[in-house]
């Protein structure tokens, strides 16, 4: 089967899924963020993206100022593609640059070059996209602080409205993990990793970016609505292969098998996991997801949402974290300190 035929069949199924899940969009549910990602959606013909957006507008109530993002990889998008996206109503682009260093791109297995990434950004801007995110990775074996600083300078000099900077994670069942287990690469040095993180945070803040989440910064007013929904435990619906949803305390994920997804006769056939969160799980998630935001969590909202007092439930753990300098408390706000940002996983474990 030709790729174009698979793409067409896949998008038709996504449109069907949107219709099947229409009942999840209760009256008055306003969609203010649409995110097209989870891979390389830029390999799809723009007409298919247009059909998807048309289906979503027909299915749910989309806000006039909705943030509509598409992910692209350098080398898989061009000026014509960006112009088509813009004409179809997409208003935000997230570019997976990862690095501007040839050796680092080769290590990561990326097929694009520095020149591709720069051209991709220019094409997006020339097509009229005012809101552009760049993804960067640090802590790559062989990368030193000077190399990371050059990547940061290159990215910021382009003038993106949003930057995401992630520490390289060596995940199981990946080629990197196999190389690590066989001793072909070394685990990133933790101290150097933290130096790179602090450099990114301080450098971007010095140029007017707001560090609003552990791994994300943005120009004022350009924080990603999509990201904030995850960390604020707002409802969201995922469509497509292996997509996740969270609605009214229920978490569900679609099958990761393309044949199963394409042959599904309804939502139950494509969903392979569903879980109704307990109150305890909901409270825990509210805390550790919310603490990812530098604004922290609102303890008054915690009381209003769960009908319980935060300090009665988590007072002992929280007091210990405050004494260790990992959390700070002011009024009804609890947030990570600078040290807490470095040791965030240690903090989160206390609430799981």
């Amino acid at each position: 089967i030709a790729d174009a035929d698979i793409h067409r069949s896949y998008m038709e199924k996504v449109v069907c899924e949107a219709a099947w899940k229409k009942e999840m969009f209760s009256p008055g549910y306003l969609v203010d963020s649409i995110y097209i990602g989870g891979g390389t959606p830029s390999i799809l013909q723009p007409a298919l993206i247009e059909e998807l957006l048309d289906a979503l507008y027909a299915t749910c109530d989309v806000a006039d100022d909705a943030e509509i993002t598409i992910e692209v990889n350098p080398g898989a998008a061009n000026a014509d593609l960006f112009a088509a996206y813009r004409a179809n109503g997409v208003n935000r682009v997230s570019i997976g640059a990862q690095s501007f260093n040839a050796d680092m791109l080769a290590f990561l297995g990326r097929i694009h070059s520095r020149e591709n990434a720069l051209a991709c950004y220019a094409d997006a801007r020339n097509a009229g996209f005012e809101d552009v995110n760049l993804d960067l990775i640090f802590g790559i074996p062989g990368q030193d602080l000077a190399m990371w600083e050059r990547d940061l300078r290159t990215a910021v000099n382009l003038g993106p409205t949003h930057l995401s900077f992630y520490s390289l994670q060596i995940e199981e069942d990946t080629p990197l993990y196999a190389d690590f287990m066989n001793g072909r690469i070394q685990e990133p040095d933790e101290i150097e990793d933290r130096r790179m993180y602090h450099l990114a945070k301080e450098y971007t803040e010095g140029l007017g970016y707001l560090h609003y989440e552990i791994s994300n910064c943005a120009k004022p007013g350009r924080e990603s609505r999509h990201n904030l929904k995850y960390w604020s435990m707002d409802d969201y619906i995922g469509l497509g292969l292996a997509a996740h949803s969270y609605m009214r305390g229920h978490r569900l994920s679609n099958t990761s098998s393309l044949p199963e997804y394409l042959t599904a006769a309804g939502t139950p056939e494509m969903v392979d996991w569903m879980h109704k969160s307990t109150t305890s799980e909901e409270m825990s998630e509210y805390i550790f997801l919310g603490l990812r935001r530098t604004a922290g969590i609102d303890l008054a909202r915690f009381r209003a949402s769960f009908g319980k007092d935060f300090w009665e439930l988590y007072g002992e753990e929280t007091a210990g974290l405050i004494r260790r300098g990992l959390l700070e408390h002011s009024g009804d706000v609890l947030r990570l300190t600078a040290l807490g940002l470095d040791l965030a996983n240690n903090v989160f474990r206390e609430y799981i």
Side-chain angles (χ1 to χ4, degrees):
I1 302 176
D3 284 349
D5 294 330
I6 294 175
H7 295 171
R8 162 62 59 185
S9 297
Y10 178 73
M11 192 55 69
E12 288 175 352
K13 185 62 69 171
V14 172
V15 169
C16 285
E17 184 185 359
W20 292 337
K21 288 183 173 178
K22 186 173 183 177
E23 71 278 3
M24 299 176 75
F25 296 101
S26 60
Y29 188 99
L30 185 65
V31 174
D32 65 351
S33 173
I34 298 172
Y35 196 96
I36 306 169
T40 313
S42 50
I43 66 172
L44 298 173
Q45 289 298 313
L48 295 179
I49 301 297
E50 182 179 12
E51 288 180 25
L52 171 63
L53 291 174
D54 285 345
L56 293 176
Y57 273 85
T59 300
C60 50
D61 187 10
V62 180
D64 291 339
D65 65 344
E67 174 189 273
I68 304 176
T69 306
I70 191 164
E71 287 184 354
V72 301
N73 286 331
N78 55 40
D80 291 340
L81 204 60
F82 283 121
Y85 291 154
R86 198 72 191 90
N88 291 339
V90 179
N91 54 30
R92 186 174 184 272
V93 173
S94 181
I95 300 173
Q98 316 307 358
S99 177
F100 297 96
N101 180 284
D103 291 337
M104 297 301 98
L105 290 170
F107 178 87
L108 294 170
R110 310 297 291 186
I111 62 171
H112 70 268
S113 64
R114 170 192 173 90
E115 290 70 29
N116 292 149
L118 296 175
C120 184
Y121 183 89
D123 286 341
R125 285 298 199 185
N126 290 336
F129 284 97
E130 297 179 359
D131 203 355
V132 181
N133 169 66
L134 288 174
D135 276 352
L136 299 175
I137 294 178
F138 64 92
I140 306 169
Q143 183 186 49
D144 59 28
L145 198 62
M147 295 165 64
W148 173 233
E149 183 174 6
R150 284 194 290 273
D151 270 353
L152 281 172
R153 288 186 182 278
T154 300
V156 171
N157 285 342
L158 291 173
T161 51
H162 192 284
L163 278 169
S164 300
F165 41 91
Y166 302 105
S167 177
L168 178 68
Q169 301 296 309
I170 301 178
E171 306 286 353
E172 290 189 27
D173 299 322
T174 64
L176 279 181
Y177 184 77
D179 287 343
F180 170 68
M181 293 301 292
N182 291 326
R184 289 190 290 269
I185 62 171
Q186 298 297 312
E187 189 172 18
D189 179 79
E190 188 173 338
I191 294 177
E192 190 73 354
D193 178 275
R194 290 298 85 192
R195 285 175 177 162
M196 291 182 183
Y197 177 76
H198 283 283
L199 175 62
K201 182 177 180 296
E202 293 162 8
Y203 181 65
T204 54
E205 286 179 341
L207 294 172
Y209 288 86
L210 301 176
H211 182 225
Y212 72 99
E213 191 272 342
I214 289 178
S215 300
N216 290 270
C217 66
K219 290 292 187 178
R222 295 295 191 175
E223 298 88 346
S224 168
R225 292 186 193 172
H226 172 74
N227 290 348
L228 287 171
K229 287 189 181 298
Y230 291 142
W231 304 318
S232 301
M233 288 187 68
D234 289 342
D235 291 341
Y236 58 87
I237 293 177
L239 304 173
L241 197 66
H244 286 244
S245 302
Y246 174 73
M247 289 292 290
R248 305 179 190 93
H250 290 80
R251 294 195 180 276
L252 58 150
S253 64
N254 287 349
T255 177
S256 59
S257 165
L258 182 60
E260 287 182 11
Y261 183 79
L262 292 179
T263 57
T267 304
E269 287 78 19
M270 63 175 53
V271 172
D272 68 357
W273 178 83
M274 181 181 291
H275 176 70
K276 173 64 173 74
S277 299
T278 65
T279 300
S280 177
E281 289 170 336
E282 291 273 292
M283 292 189 296
S284 179
E285 290 175 3
Y286 177 89
I287 297 167
F288 72 75
L289 289 175
L291 283 174
R292 291 189 61 90
R293 295 173 298 152
T294 55
I297 58 174
D298 185 337
L299 302 184
R301 183 185 171 193
F302 183 93
R303 287 193 299 272
S305 298
F306 304 109
K308 299 178 183 295
D309 182 78
F310 175 86
W311 296 104
E312 289 182 5
L313 296 173
Y314 302 103
E316 184 176 346
E317 301 94 323
T318 304
L321 292 167
I322 292 174
R323 284 194 299 271
R324 291 163 58 191
L326 302 177
L327 287 176
E328 60 184 14
H329 172 232
S330 176
D332 266 328
V333 174
L334 187 70
R335 63 170 63 90
L336 293 172
T337 63
L339 178 60
L341 288 170
D342 281 334
L343 301 174
N345 287 336
N346 292 343
V347 176
F348 300 158
R349 278 195 290 268
E350 294 292 326
Y351 297 105
I352 296 176

